[in-house]
Amino acid sequence: MLRLRPILTPGSLHRRFATVAGPHALVLLEHRAGVIESGSLSALTAAQQLGGQVTGLVVGAPDQVKGVVEKAKKLKGLTNVLHSSSEQYAHSIPEVVSPLLEKLLSDNTPYTHVVSAHSSSAKSLLPRVAARLDLPAVSDITSLEHDSTSNATTFTRPIYAGNAIATVRAPESVRVKVFTVRSTAFKASAEDESAQAEEKAIDPVEVSNPPTQHVRTDLTKSDRPDLGSASRVVSGGRALKNAETFKATLEPLADALGAAIGASRAAVDAGYADNSLQVGQTGKVVAPELYMAIGISGAIQHLAGMKDSKMIVAINKDPEAPIFQVADVGLVADLYEAVPELVEKLKQ
Amino acid sequence: MRPSAVRLLNILVPVKRTVDYAVKIRVNPDQKGVDLNVKHSMNPFDEIAVEEAVRLREKLKDEVKSIKVVTIGPPKAAETLRTALAMGADAGIHIEVPDSAPAPEPLGVAKALRAVIQREKDGVDLVIMGKQAIDDDAGQTGQMLAGLMDWAQATFASKVVVDPKAKEVQVTREIDGGLEELKCRLPLVVTTDLRLNEPRYASLPNIMKAKKKPIQKLTPAELEVDLAPILEKVKVSEPPKRVGGGKVENVDQLIAKLKEAGITSVKS
């Protein structure tokens, strides 16, 4: 986590007194079934690190928004909560939501930064908004530092599947700095019972005849912890043979550890697991306390999604598997023997 | 931008030449970038985009009037266009920039693509492009292009069904937690996800045929687009090193290690 650079350096004593206010970030608070997404809470933490005011934005259908706003008002560090309701906003269609954001960020906007999680919905929306405002955007940041004297914000972000870290600076000329946040890099903001941010309703910007319509959403139903925020993950690879074997082998282990289940790309491509379980460069990026890679070889693209895990355990038949190079604890064994044995002994 | 004549689709596929996905990335000691003296290939997501366009033509036949591929890059980027032509695209557009030019940013690329679309006399109905490039992993260009054009957009597509007569496209997308289905009107920008298709290898006869397909050369100046980056690249550094390699010999030792780390079962 970066500390803000002290503003009172010898040079700054001679600078003209800044007449502009400090940063004012607008944070997109996404929600599902009345609950604020954990990624948005990480985005809120990142926004607070800019060092100025933070305004939350809740957009959705009328029956969704009210409950979410009540929860948002209790979030630590939020100055106020804007909200906008419309049936049109029920499904986060970028073409429909963008006009609202463009209006909030037009020329005399008080906002200097726009922040969201790097979620599939926000990363579909924010670049569209940015382009329509002739602004660049920065994706999937892992740290930030704002310098109020120069009005520039510097970010770090992974590139080349996390094999390199880019440090990029958005100078003052970037009127509003739009960025998405890697949630594993910022601790989720918590509630503060004593906090009570102000709320303000914003008229929706209705889009007549939108070119895109939502047809359906199919979410994988699971009682397990959510993969993106679980503290323990048990992940399976191509060695798991088929969907039944994948489930039968990994579920008992995940149950014993109270873990979420993940999968390598190979496993998902082969149909052993749903795409929502894919961990990797283009799937989910996770950083749990424990990541167990079962029958996963450890391709670069998979490592990109889990190498920040606190403890990595690997079970694989192949002693040369690249996964062992990042594993804290590696066991070269037949997973069909090792995993059941592990489950049994864990339960003792 | 004029839409094409009734029922005939003009498809544009932007492609990018990137470091090959299997290359081991090395950060240069001067911290200005990564070692680029390595194998380059077409961005894997763009290969999927080219493949999808070719499959659309195989399915819709004459209803697909043209498949054009476009790239922004130094002279070597023409190889990437040739690969796409060998896979089945009809013609290429090479927006050539010098080897020494800094990499354009998504907003600049989107503006260049907008200029290309506006110059196409038959118009463009469908843009299919990769959801992200595996070098910068930005994942913004498709959305930015759709925003600049005020077109419909469908990102992370895992299935695309086009109805040229109705000028509608049904897209299934991979989202956090599952799948979403959208119905979009043309003109549309689709960005491809991994499972949309498995790209073909170009056959030798098609590689030979591709040499005769036309590649139009353009400069950013001709397109009246400024590709200079807006964001400043401060440095490129190595990620924190992960020290791995710890081994245990059996499950008992594994459990001992887990216990050491404070990890036990939830139902003890």
Side-chain angles (χ1 to χ4, degrees), chain A residues 49-70:
Chain A
Q49 286 181 15
L50 290 167
Q53 280 188 79
V54 183
T55 294
L57 174 63
V58 179
V59 179
D63 58 349
Q64 301 165 335
V65 168
K66 191 159 192 285
V68 174
V69 170
E70 286 312 306

Side-chain angles (χ1 to χ4, degrees), chain B residues 18-233:
Chain B
T18 61
V19 171
D20 185 83
Y21 81 95
V23 163
K24 184 163 161 65
I25 299 296
R26 256 172 259 277
V27 176
N28 290 334
D30 65 8
Q31 294 208 322
K32 294 219 175 99
V34 305
D35 181 12
L36 294 175
N37 284 321
V38 294
K39 179 176 182 206
H40 282 61
S41 310
M42 189 187 306
N43 180 38
F45 293 101
D46 300 342
E47 275 185 335
I48 293 172
V50 175
E51 176 66 25
E52 193 63 17
V54 175
R55 286 192 193 193
L56 271 174
R57 171 179 270 154
E58 284 168 353
K59 185 153 194 258
L60 301 172
K61 305 201 183 352
D62 288 342
E63 286 180 295
V64 172
K65 181 163 182 221
S66 75
I67 300 174
K68 287 199 185 164
V69 284
V70 55
T71 199
I72 301 174
K76 272 186 264 194
E79 289 166 14
T80 311
L81 290 178
R82 289 286 170 211
T83 305
L85 295 172
M87 285 171 72
D90 305 322
I93 301 169
H94 185 177
I95 304 171
E96 206 173 290
V97 295
D99 257 309
S100 56
E105 290 166 347
L107 183 59
V109 174
K111 288 179 174 175
L113 293 176
R114 173 178 57 177
V116 165
I117 292 172
Q118 287 169 342
R119 285 167 68 114
E120 280 295 301
K121 60 175 174 56
D122 287 340
V124 172
D125 307 288
L126 180 61
V127 173
I128 311 178
M129 55 198 287
K131 72 171 182 178
Q132 73 195 66
I134 61 167
D135 46 17
D136 60 31
D137 284 327
Q140 302 168 3
T141 310
Q143 298 87 298
M144 288 189 158
L145 175 61
L148 290 177
M149 303 296 303
D150 202 12
W151 283 9
Q153 63 178 67
T155 51
F156 325 135
S158 59
K159 186 168 172 198
V160 175
V161 179
V162 182
D163 182 349
K165 293 179 186 65
K167 292 194 142 181
E168 255 172 25
V169 184
Q170 223 134 356
V171 182
T172 306
R173 332 167 38 223
E174 296 197 3
I175 59 170
D176 299 335
L179 294 174
E180 181 184 77
E181 203 183 304
L182 299 175
K183 193 158 85 169
C184 304
R185 277 204 309 269
L186 294 175
L188 167 68
V189 175
V190 171
T191 75
T192 66
D193 212 322
L194 282 180
R195 274 166 286 278
L196 179 56
N197 61 51
E198 215 176 289
R200 67 195 61 197
Y201 290 106
S203 67
L204 198 48
N206 282 334
I207 294 175
M208 298 311 293
K209 263 193 253 171
K211 296 195 183 183
K212 301 212 182 83
K213 293 184 181 177
I215 292 183
Q216 179 193 16
K217 278 209 198 305
L218 289 171
T219 62
E222 283 175 273
L223 293 173
E224 293 176 75
V225 171
D226 180 7
L227 291 178
I230 297 167
L231 302 171
E232 297 159 12
K233 203 155 142 189

Side-chain angles (χ1 to χ4, degrees), chain A residues 32 91 93-95 118-120 123-125 127-128 130-132 134-139 154 157-171 174 209-220 232 255-258 265 268-269 274-276 278 281-282 284 289-290 292 300-301 307-313 315 319 324-332 338 341-342 345-347, chain B residues 19 21-25 27 34 36 45 48 105-107 110-111 131-141 143-156 170 173-185 187-188 193-195 230-240 242-255 257-258 261-268:
Chain A
R32 185 173 289 288
H91 295 288
I93 307 275
E95 297 92 311
H118 196 60
S119 64
S120 54
K123 65 192 183 189
S124 298
L125 170 67
R128 185 185 178 103
R132 288 185 64 76
D134 199 22
L135 296 166
V138 187
S139 305
T154 302
R157 57 178 301 271
I159 56 173
Y160 290 98
N163 285 293
I165 307 290
T167 303
V168 297
R169 184 175 178 271
V174 178
N209 198 17
T212 296
Q213 279 171 0
H214 174 264
V215 175
R216 58 189 291 172
T217 300
D218 287 317
L219 298 177
T220 34
R232 298 174 182 188
D255 285 341
L257 291 169
R265 175 201 172 166
V268 175
D269 281 358
D274 189 75
N275 67 278
S276 60
Q278 182 175 323
Q281 177 186 15
T282 71
K284 293 223 168 38
E289 296 292 309
L290 170 68
M292 295 197 74
I300 299 170
Q301 292 77 17
K307 66 190 172 94
D308 291 333
S309 305
K310 189 131 182 278
M311 181 181 196
I312 296 174
V313 172
I315 301 179
F324 288 122
Q325 288 165 32
V326 298
D328 302 294
V329 181
L331 175 59
V332 180
E341 188 187 339
L342 180 58
K345 291 187 172 165
L346 274 173
K347 294 206 274 207
Chain B
V19 171
Y21 81 95
V23 163
K24 184 163 161 65
I25 299 296
V27 176
V34 305
L36 294 175
F45 293 101
I48 293 172
E105 290 166 347
L107 183 59
K111 288 179 174 175
K131 72 171 182 178
Q132 73 195 66
I134 61 167
D135 46 17
D136 60 31
D137 284 327
Q140 302 168 3
T141 310
Q143 298 87 298
M144 288 189 158
L145 175 61
L148 290 177
M149 303 296 303
D150 202 12
W151 283 9
Q153 63 178 67
T155 51
F156 325 135
Q170 223 134 356
R173 332 167 38 223
E174 296 197 3
I175 59 170
D176 299 335
L179 294 174
E180 181 184 77
E181 203 183 304
L182 299 175
K183 193 158 85 169
C184 304
R185 277 204 309 269
L188 167 68
D193 212 322
L194 282 180
R195 274 166 286 278
I230 297 167
L231 302 171
E232 297 159 12
K233 203 155 142 189
V234 176
K235 68 174 174 179
V236 174
S237 40
E238 279 189 7
R242 177 112 202 177
V243 179
K247 286 272 177 46
V248 292
E249 273 158 45
N250 53 46
V251 171
D252 290 318
Q253 288 180 9
L254 170 53
I255 292 189
K257 288 280 179 190
L258 288 174
I263 293 165
T264 51
S265 72
V266 291
K267 304 168 198 168
S268 315

